[in-house]
Amino acid sequence: MILYELIDFEILRVIWWLLLGVLLIGFALTDGFDMGVGALLPFVARTDLERRQAINTVGPVWEGNQVWFILGGGAIFAAWPPLYAVSFSGFYLAMFTVLAALILRPVGFKYRSKRESTAWRSAWDWALFVGGAVPALIFGVAVGNILVGVPFHLTPELIPMYDGPFYAKFFGLLNPFSLLAGLISLAMLLQHGAAWLALKTDGMVETRARRLGPFFGYLAAVGFALAGVWLAVGIDGFAFAGEVVTDGPSNPLLSEVIRGGSWLDAYGDRPWIATAPLMGFVGILMAARSFGGHGDLSPLLWSKLGIFGVISTVGLTMFPFILPSSVDPNASLTVWDSSSSHMTLFVMLVCTAIFMPLILAYTAWVYSVLWGKVTVEDIEDNSETVY
C-alpha cells in the first residue's frame, strides 16, 4: 500500500489519460493498416491471385491487432465510466455501424475463398472494402464531433441526456468539420495500408500501393492543415472559468466551464505540445515521399509517426477536456472529474504493468515470425492453407 499512497489521485488520472491515448494510438497503428488494406483492396489488386496476396498480408494478424480496440473500450469502461456512458449511448448508431462493418472482415476472410465463383469472391472483396473504409471514416467523424462538442447534458443525478431525436445520434454527427476529420482519418489509414502493402508484397500489388500511397498522404496532410485553420477561426474551444480541483470527486457539475476562445489557445499555454502536429505533418509527408524510394520499411515507419502525431495533437490540444458538451459546457467531461476512484485506477495500473509487457512481447514475436513478403508464388503453392 506504500506505492498506493505515493501515487496521488491527480497523477493517476493523468496516467490513465495517457494510457487511453496509448491504447487508441496502438489500435490506429496496428488495426489501422488492416483497415487500410481492406479499403484499398479493389484498387491495388485486380486479379484473384493479387487480391489473395493482399488479404494474406493481414489475414494472420488482424485478430491480434483488434485486441487494442477491445482494450481501449475496456479502459474507457473501467477508468472513465462517465465517458463510457455518454459516448457509447450518444454515438450508439455510429458504434453499431462500425461494429457491423467490422463484422464483415472476419466473415470475408473466412468465406471469400470457399467458392470459385468470381461473383462470390467479388462480393466478399467489396465487403472487406466496407469493413475497412467505413470504420476508418466514422472514427474520424467521431473525433471531429468531440472537437465541435457533443449535444448532451447531465441531470442532477448525473444521468446523460441527449438533445434531439434518436436519428440525430447518427445524422447529427455528419456536420462539415466532422466529415473533414473523417476524410483525414480515412486518407491517413489508406496511406498506412499502402505502406503495409509496400512492405509485405511484391509485383503489381506493391507497385500500385506505392503509386496510391503518396496521393492519400498528401490528401491527409492538406486536410490536417485545413482542420487546424478551421479550429483556429471557426470553432470555439472550452475552458475552466475558475479554480480547478484536480483530485476531487468525479462530478462534472461541480466545475464551471465556459465556451469561448479557441482550442489553439492551448499552444500559448503549453508551447511544447506543438511537437505533436509537427510530428503529424513530418510523418505523413515523409511517408508520402518515401514511397518513391527503394526502402520497404520506411513508408510504414513514417506513417506510424504521422498517425502518432495526429492523434496526439487532438488529445494534447483538448487536455484536460475529454468529451465537451455543446449544449451545457458545465456537463463537459474532463480528466479531473470523470474518472473511477483512486483505488480502482491504482489496481488497474498494477494489472496493466503486469499484462501490457506480455501483450507487447507476444505481438513482437508474432510479427517477427511472420516477417517477410507475401508473394503470388506463396499463394499458388499454398492455395489450401492461405486465405
Side-chain angles (χ1 to χ4, degrees), residues 61-224:
V61 297
W62 75 269
E63 289 176 290
N65 293 340
Q66 198 112 311
V67 167
W68 295 96
F69 184 50
I70 298 169
L71 289 175
I76 294 174
F77 171 78
W80 309 98
L83 175 62
Y84 180 88
V86 175
S87 61
F88 277 62
S89 59
F91 294 157
Y92 177 80
L93 291 178
M95 295 274 186
F96 183 85
T97 303
V98 168
L99 290 176
L102 290 176
I103 288 171
L104 291 175
R105 290 201 299 171
V107 180
F109 287 141
K110 298 299 182 183
Y111 281 89
R112 182 192 182 278
S113 296
K114 296 297 184 182
R115 294 175 61 184
E116 297 290 340
S117 168
T118 300
W120 171 271
R121 294 189 174 187
S122 178
W124 286 116
D125 289 339
W126 284 105
L128 291 173
F129 166 80
V130 172
V134 170
L137 178 68
I138 292 182
F139 286 137
V141 169
V143 172
N145 276 277
I146 291 171
L147 286 164
V148 171
V150 180
F152 74 94
H153 65 275
L154 299 176
T155 68
E157 296 78 22
L158 300 183
I159 299 173
M161 304 292 292
Y162 275 78
D163 292 3
F166 181 71
Y167 64 82
K169 291 184 178 182
F170 182 82
F171 294 104
L173 302 179
L174 304 179
N175 57 77
F177 179 81
S178 298
L179 287 173
L180 173 62
L183 291 175
I184 295 169
S185 172
L186 178 59
M188 192 166 59
L189 295 187
L190 284 169
Q191 183 191 48
H192 201 44
W196 177 254
L197 290 173
L199 171 67
K200 293 291 291 182
T201 64
D202 61 2
M204 291 306 300
V205 173
E206 179 186 6
T207 300
R208 295 186 191 110
R210 288 184 179 274
R211 188 182 304 138
L212 290 172
F215 170 76
F216 291 116
Y218 294 133
L219 183 62
V222 171
F224 189 40

Side-chain angles (χ1 to χ4, degrees), residues 29-386:
L29 294 182
T30 55
D31 210 37
F33 65 71
D34 294 346
M35 290 186 284
V37 169
L40 285 171
L41 187 60
F43 311 105
V44 298
R46 296 176 183 173
T47 68
D48 183 64
L49 278 175
E50 288 175 352
R51 290 180 179 179
R52 295 186 72 189
Q53 181 186 15
I55 291 170
N56 275 273
T57 65
V58 297
V61 297
W62 75 269
E63 289 176 290
N65 293 340
Q66 198 112 311
V67 167
W68 295 96
F69 184 50
I70 298 169
L71 289 175
I76 294 174
F77 171 78
W80 309 98
L83 175 62
Y84 180 88
V86 175
S87 61
F88 277 62
S89 59
F91 294 157
Y92 177 80
L93 291 178
M95 295 274 186
F96 183 85
T97 303
V98 168
L99 290 176
L102 290 176
I103 288 171
L104 291 175
R105 290 201 299 171
V107 180
F109 287 141
K110 298 299 182 183
Y111 281 89
R112 182 192 182 278
S113 296
K114 296 297 184 182
R115 294 175 61 184
E116 297 290 340
S117 168
T118 300
W120 171 271
R121 294 189 174 187
S122 178
W124 286 116
D125 289 339
W126 284 105
L128 291 173
F129 166 80
V130 172
V134 170
L137 178 68
I138 292 182
F139 286 137
V141 169
V143 172
N145 276 277
I146 291 171
L147 286 164
V148 171
V150 180
F152 74 94
H153 65 275
L154 299 176
T155 68
E157 296 78 22
L158 300 183
I159 299 173
M161 304 292 292
Y162 275 78
D163 292 3
F166 181 71
Y167 64 82
K169 291 184 178 182
F170 182 82
F171 294 104
L173 302 179
L174 304 179
N175 57 77
F177 179 81
S178 298
L179 287 173
L180 173 62
L183 291 175
I184 295 169
S185 172
L186 178 59
M188 192 166 59
L189 295 187
L190 284 169
Q191 183 191 48
H192 201 44
W196 177 254
L197 290 173
L199 171 67
K200 293 291 291 182
T201 64
D202 61 2
M204 291 306 300
V205 173
E206 179 186 6
T207 300
R208 295 186 191 110
R210 288 184 179 274
R211 188 182 304 138
L212 290 172
F215 170 76
F216 291 116
Y218 294 133
L219 183 62
V222 171
F224 189 40
L226 179 59
V229 174
W230 201 331
L231 281 177
V233 300
I235 297 176
D236 291 334
F238 291 77
F240 285 104
E243 184 178 353
V244 182
V245 178
T246 59
D247 57 355
S250 291
N251 185 347
L253 298 180
L254 297 179
S255 302
E256 184 178 356
V257 175
I258 58 174
R259 183 162 197 183
S262 169
W263 281 121
L264 302 190
D265 292 341
Y267 291 84
D269 300 331
R270 306 187 300 275
W272 61 270
I273 68 175
T275 55
L278 180 62
M279 284 190 295
F281 280 115
V282 170
I284 291 172
L285 293 174
M286 287 300 296
R289 183 176 181 273
S290 62
F291 276 104
H294 298 291
D296 291 333
L297 186 58
S298 56
L300 186 66
L301 294 179
W302 284 117
S303 179
K304 288 180 180 292
L305 178 66
I307 292 172
F308 177 86
V310 170
I311 297 177
S312 298
T313 296
V314 177
L316 292 171
T317 299
M318 292 184 60
F319 183 85
F321 290 90
I322 304 177
L323 188 66
S325 169
S326 60
V327 297
D328 182 11
N330 287 332
S332 299
L333 306 182
T334 75
V335 172
W336 312 128
D337 55 28
S338 57
S339 73
S340 292
S341 68
H342 189 176
M343 177 60 76
T344 299
L345 295 182
F346 176 77
V347 172
M348 289 175 58
L349 183 61
V350 173
C351 293
T352 301
I354 296 172
F355 291 106
M356 183 63 77
L358 297 177
I359 294 173
L360 292 173
Y362 173 77
T363 302
W365 176 76
V366 168
Y367 278 96
S368 67
V369 170
L370 297 173
W371 190 258
K373 288 182 176 290
V374 177
T375 67
V376 172
E377 290 75 19
D378 293 331
I379 307 301
E380 292 176 323
D381 294 341
N382 303 278
S383 59
E384 299 300 323
T385 59
V386 297

